[in-house]
Amino acid sequence: MRRHHIESSAPTHLLTIAEYADLDEVAVGYTELLEGRLLMSPSPTPEHQKAMFGFGYQLFDQLPSDLDLILEVDIDLGIADPGGPGYSRRPDMVIVPKAEVARRQETGGLLRAAEVLVVIEIVSPGSKRTDRVVKYAEYAEAGIPHYWIVDLDEPTSLLPAHLSEQFGYHSGDEITGHYTTDIPFPVSLDLK
């Protein structure tokens, strides 16, 4: 599959998921696709990357054998008509069945949000509203069962949200110190 390089000028039309999946990476930062429009974001800070690695390291050893932890990967939210202006996000981490990773490797394209079990975002200074409001709604609409929001402001906290049948995500209080759950699989995370 030939990938196209993003030129210095923006595309002249709204992109589909297939067109977005066919783009090369940009030199600085990364992109997401919102209603067919490229959204450029700066590269994460060293503190953000360190936190992502730390949480990923803790999660990796606790995953059931049929699941994978993937960092900074594009996912097709699946909330647009095929062939129409697409929606793709690049979460900090996703937990997805290994079968979905194998499907993507075999057929190409992006990971599908409908197959993602948990999406995790680490809040950056410029992403608080996006992570807590915009992505909260988008990930719920995409049907991702669990959304964990990690906020690095002291004390570091984790807000676990899960889909309810009628009302999108339901979340309780933000957790500090230590997070332990059996849903969607047994996991224990040190948030310090």
Side-chain angles (χ1 to χ4, degrees):
M1 174 190 305
R2 185 169 190 278
R3 293 179 59 91
H4 302 283
H5 181 70
I6 297 174
E7 300 296 328
S8 58
S9 61
T12 58
H13 66 282
L14 299 177
L15 298 175
T16 66
I17 284 292
E19 289 170 325
Y20 179 72
D22 199 33
L23 294 176
D24 278 336
E25 291 296 318
V26 293
V28 178
Y30 65 91
T31 61
E32 292 179 314
L33 190 65
L34 297 174
E35 208 166 1
R37 293 176 183 88
L38 287 177
L39 172 68
M40 303 296 292
S41 296
S43 295
T45 64
E47 296 78 15
H48 186 278
Q49 293 292 79
K50 183 178 175 185
M52 187 169 50
F53 178 79
F55 283 106
Y57 184 77
Q58 290 183 68
L59 280 166
F60 188 77
D61 287 337
Q62 298 180 63
L63 288 178
S65 62
D66 63 329
L67 298 177
D68 261 338
L69 173 69
I70 312 292
L71 307 180
E72 295 185 325
V73 66
D74 292 312
I75 59 171
D76 174 2
L77 294 182
I79 59 176
D81 292 331
Y87 288 82
S88 174
R89 288 290 188 177
R90 187 177 297 186
D92 291 311
M93 294 180 266
V94 297
I95 298 171
V96 63
K98 288 181 178 178
E100 173 63 3
V101 176
R103 182 221 45 93
R104 196 226 57 85
Q105 187 174 20
E106 185 176 307
T107 64
L110 305 180
L111 292 177
R112 300 172 297 190
E115 300 300 322
V116 172
L117 181 61
V118 182
V119 65
I120 304 163
E121 293 285 5
I122 298 172
V123 177
S124 297
S127 74
K128 287 185 186 290
R129 185 178 192 304
T130 300
D131 290 339
R132 293 181 178 274
V133 178
V134 178
K135 289 182 181 180
Y136 197 88
E138 289 175 353
Y139 292 157
E141 184 178 354
I144 298 172
H146 301 274
Y147 179 26
W148 297 348
I149 303 170
V150 177
D151 194 327
L152 300 179
D153 285 347
E154 290 297 326
T156 298
S157 63
L158 186 144
L159 179 66
H162 66 277
L163 275 179
S164 62
E165 289 186 24
Q166 298 176 358
F167 303 108
Y169 282 126
H170 173 74
S171 58
D173 295 329
E174 294 199 36
I175 297 161
T176 59
H178 205 85
Y179 175 61
T180 301
T181 187
D182 289 330
I183 301 171
F185 53 85
V187 67
S188 183
L189 299 171
D190 182 2
L191 303 175
K192 296 178 186 172

